[in-house]
Amino acid sequence: MSQQQSNMDWMLKDLAESVPQTRHVIVLSADGLRMAQHGAETDTADRLAAACAGLQSLAGAVASELPHGSGRMRLVVIEMDGGFFYLMAAGAGAYLAVLADEGVDAGLMGQRMRDLVARIGEHLSSPPRSDRLTA
């Protein structure tokens, strides 16, 4: 896992550096566990990852109300005083989250996030957890 995390770290850094005003980039599992990060202290990344789990669940519940949709959340964008928050589905059971300042180019951010997910989506999946302990 540490090799996979190391590989993701440089890709997250590339995203952050290619879009000015990006603060934090995080990859998380569907249950809110941080898998990789760039630009955030570990505690901050953990809090954001936990909040993302609730947000993706809420977005999925809303998406299920669309009669012709799959009921899956693909992208959530929240604009708030001081910036933007992006949450994008990024593989089976994994999500890409970005926190950016208010001056960020929203279109560029969306494009770079999609590009990143397309390039490394299979590496961003988080397999379901097993109740069994392995030796």
Side-chain angles (χ1 to χ4, degrees):
M1 177 72 165
S2 63
Q3 178 64 33
Q4 180 182 1
Q5 182 173 347
S6 176
N7 288 339
M8 281 194 283
D9 288 347
W10 74 263
M11 289 184 254
L12 301 183
K13 179 180 179 185
D14 183 55
L15 171 65
E17 291 178 352
S18 70
V19 183
Q21 310 233 359
T22 299
R23 286 191 168 271
H24 309 305
V25 183
I26 303 164
V27 175
L28 61 131
S29 64
D31 57 355
L33 294 177
R34 173 186 43 84
M35 297 167 63
Q37 71 191 59
H38 176 75
E41 298 285 329
T42 300
D43 288 345
T44 301
D46 286 342
R47 282 193 307 274
L48 287 171
C52 289
L55 185 56
Q56 63 86 16
S57 179
L58 176 63
V62 172
S64 70
E65 296 302 319
L66 292 170
H68 302 292
S70 67
R72 293 183 42 215
M73 183 281 296
R74 289 191 285 181
L75 174 66
V76 173
V77 180
I78 300 174
E79 180 179 6
M80 60 205 109
D81 288 342
F84 292 87
F85 175 76
Y86 302 84
L87 180 64
M88 180 178 282
Y95 295 87
L96 175 63
V98 176
L99 191 62
D101 292 332
E102 63 187 341
V104 71
D105 181 332
L108 179 61
M109 179 61 77
Q111 177 186 359
R112 301 291 179 172
M113 289 177 72
R114 282 188 302 276
D115 292 348
L116 178 60
V117 167
R119 268 191 312 165
I120 62 167
E122 66 273 3
H123 301 290
L124 294 180
S125 24
S126 175
R129 294 182 191 204
S130 172
D131 291 335
R132 297 180 300 169
L133 295 175
T134 57

